[in-house]
Amino acid sequence: MKEVDYIIVGCGLASIALCEQLRSNEKTFVVFDDNSQRSSIVAAGLYNPVILKRFSEVWKAKEQLKIALPLYNKIESDLNIKIDYKLQLLRRFASVEEQNLWFNAAEKPKLENYLSTNLVKNTSICIDAPYGYGEVLHAGRLDTTTLITAYKDFLKLNNSLEEKQFNYTKLQIEKTSIQYENIKARHIVFAEGFGVKSNPYFYHIPLNGTKGEVLTIKASDLQIDFGIKSSVFIIPIGNAMYYVGATYNWKDKTHLPTEEGRIELITKLKTFIKCDFEVVNHRASIRPTVKDRRPLVGRHHEHQNLYVLNGLGTRGVMIAPYVADKLFKLIEREQPLDPEIDIKRFKY
């Protein structure tokens, strides 16, 4: 019988952030993952502290970045990889009215550190931006594919990864421990993303799931090293390659790319990109979204050693380390969760 402090189900951004909490506090754990949930892998990895559609602050942006950026830097050092790329992010203005809204927002106390008051003029003949851009400060891109691939390799080297489907029927729950096959643990945390819908212990949590599709394009003439947010975002990833996204589909719950999604992204991209490009990849996944746009974190209402870490939505890069920290403090120190993220806010 193998004994550990934690079993974690899932190996996306939320799980990795929790693993780092456990490692820092000398807790032992085993991760189960079968590659069935791919929202973290498919994600473009953009992080920024501003909602660029409405020019408003992301929920707890300052607190999230304070935890997230040092954690990703630590992972880079520990695993000898590069995953955090600082990025100049520009919001394309569609009118003078949008310019005015931007500069008004930049004067607000919660946004003054994130919105530059300098109007950035367009200098590229490949981009249609007659009204220029506003610059978002403290933005970047996390290479989620490299992160998750390297982290799984790291877990394998430490005999902490079980690459197989978790079978809920084999879980035996006692008052102070749980047992799964030949593993005994004090706690189990489910961080399965949209896969939680098949979880008999947490299927009731109101996770909607929103399908997102992202393109990778090659545009040799574009030659920009900054990201642009307009009707879609375009993010440089090197070698004349760019991510373009993303779509939002609340009905389709498959992980398959669609022709409709492809057409939508290309059509929107062509409204402001005026050079030739080639689509070289097309990916899709289901984001774990929640109706109130807050994470789903907490303890099972009946079983005190079962927990959920989910609902990161479209901003998992920033939110994951923050909520993993909060969950760890709940489990190990009995520090109450913020009611905004606690699953107790939903009755069932």
Side-chain angles (χ1 to χ4, degrees), residues 140-236:
R141 176 180 70 88
L142 193 77
D143 185 342
T144 56
T145 299
T146 295
L147 167 62
I148 293 172
T149 301
Y151 208 87
K152 285 185 176 181
D153 289 341
F154 173 74
L155 293 176
K156 289 178 192 175
L157 286 174
N158 290 276
N159 296 314
S160 299
L161 180 64
E162 296 284 341
E163 292 186 284
K164 57 184 178 181
Q165 185 177 22
F166 188 87
N167 186 339
Y168 304 102
T169 63
K170 294 183 178 181
L171 183 62
Q172 300 176 42
I173 305 171
E174 305 294 339
K175 189 172 182 179
T176 59
S177 66
I178 59 100
Q179 185 173 326
Y180 182 81
E181 295 182 334
N182 65 330
I183 302 173
K184 185 176 182 180
R186 293 168 50 228
H187 312 285
I188 183 167
V189 178
F190 294 100
E192 309 144 294
F194 191 66
V196 78
K197 286 299 184 181
S198 301
N199 186 320
Y201 301 102
F202 290 103
Y203 69 91
H204 59 274
I205 61 176
L207 193 73
N208 299 328
T210 307
K211 183 172 183 174
E213 300 187 47
V214 176
L215 302 178
T216 304
I217 66 167
K218 184 171 185 178
S220 299
D221 295 332
L222 186 54
Q223 297 183 6
I224 60 172
D225 58 1
F226 52 86
I228 299 174
K229 176 65 176 77
S230 185
S231 50
V232 290
F233 66 71
I234 179 166
I235 302 174

Side-chain angles (χ1 to χ4, degrees), residues 33 50 75 123 143 167 301 332 339:
D33 186 74
V50 182
I75 292 175
T123 59
D143 185 342
N167 186 339
H301 64 284
E332 295 292 340

Side-chain angles (χ1 to χ4, degrees), residues 69-282:
L69 298 185
L71 182 140
Y72 294 132
N73 290 338
K74 179 179 181 297
I75 292 175
E76 286 184 323
S77 177
D78 289 350
L79 274 61
N80 193 27
I81 57 175
K82 177 64 177 174
I83 54 174
D84 185 9
Y85 296 88
K86 304 309 176 187
L87 178 71
Q88 182 185 29
L89 179 62
L90 304 180
R91 169 59 154 83
R92 174 180 174 269
F93 296 134
S95 64
V96 173
E97 289 75 17
E98 278 200 340
Q99 288 180 347
N100 293 333
L101 288 172
W102 176 276
F103 292 117
N104 287 336
E107 295 178 355
K108 297 179 180 179
K110 289 187 176 181
L111 290 170
E112 62 182 358
N113 292 327
Y114 303 132
L115 299 183
S116 171
T117 54
N118 296 321
L119 178 65
V120 180
K121 293 184 178 180
N122 177 46
T123 59
S124 173
I125 61 173
C126 293
I127 303 171
D128 179 24
Y131 300 100
Y133 311 93
E135 181 179 359
V136 181
L137 306 177
H138 307 293
R141 176 180 70 88
L142 193 77
D143 185 342
T144 56
T145 299
T146 295
L147 167 62
I148 293 172
T149 301
Y151 208 87
K152 285 185 176 181
D153 289 341
F154 173 74
L155 293 176
K156 289 178 192 175
L157 286 174
N158 290 276
N159 296 314
S160 299
L161 180 64
E162 296 284 341
E163 292 186 284
K164 57 184 178 181
Q165 185 177 22
F166 188 87
N167 186 339
Y168 304 102
T169 63
K170 294 183 178 181
L171 183 62
Q172 300 176 42
I173 305 171
E174 305 294 339
K175 189 172 182 179
T176 59
S177 66
I178 59 100
Q179 185 173 326
Y180 182 81
E181 295 182 334
N182 65 330
I183 302 173
K184 185 176 182 180
R186 293 168 50 228
H187 312 285
I188 183 167
V189 178
F190 294 100
E192 309 144 294
F194 191 66
V196 78
K197 286 299 184 181
S198 301
N199 186 320
Y201 301 102
F202 290 103
Y203 69 91
H204 59 274
I205 61 176
L207 193 73
N208 299 328
T210 307
K211 183 172 183 174
E213 300 187 47
V214 176
L215 302 178
T216 304
I217 66 167
K218 184 171 185 178
S220 299
D221 295 332
L222 186 54
Q223 297 183 6
I224 60 172
D225 58 1
F226 52 86
I228 299 174
K229 176 65 176 77
S230 185
S231 50
V232 290
F233 66 71
I234 179 166
I235 302 174
I237 56 175
N239 299 317
M241 308 284 275
Y242 303 85
Y243 285 145
V244 177
T247 62
Y248 293 83
N249 188 321
W250 289 267
K251 295 182 180 179
D252 183 358
K253 304 302 183 185
T254 71
H255 293 275
L256 299 175
T258 66
E259 185 62 20
E260 292 81 5
R262 177 189 176 98
I263 292 172
E264 177 185 340
L265 292 172
I266 290 175
T267 301
K268 289 181 176 179
L269 182 62
K270 285 183 175 180
T271 62
F272 65 98
I273 297 297
K274 303 303 178 184
C275 62
D276 293 334
F277 60 85
E278 173 191 1
V279 176
V280 297
N281 197 9
H282 182 188

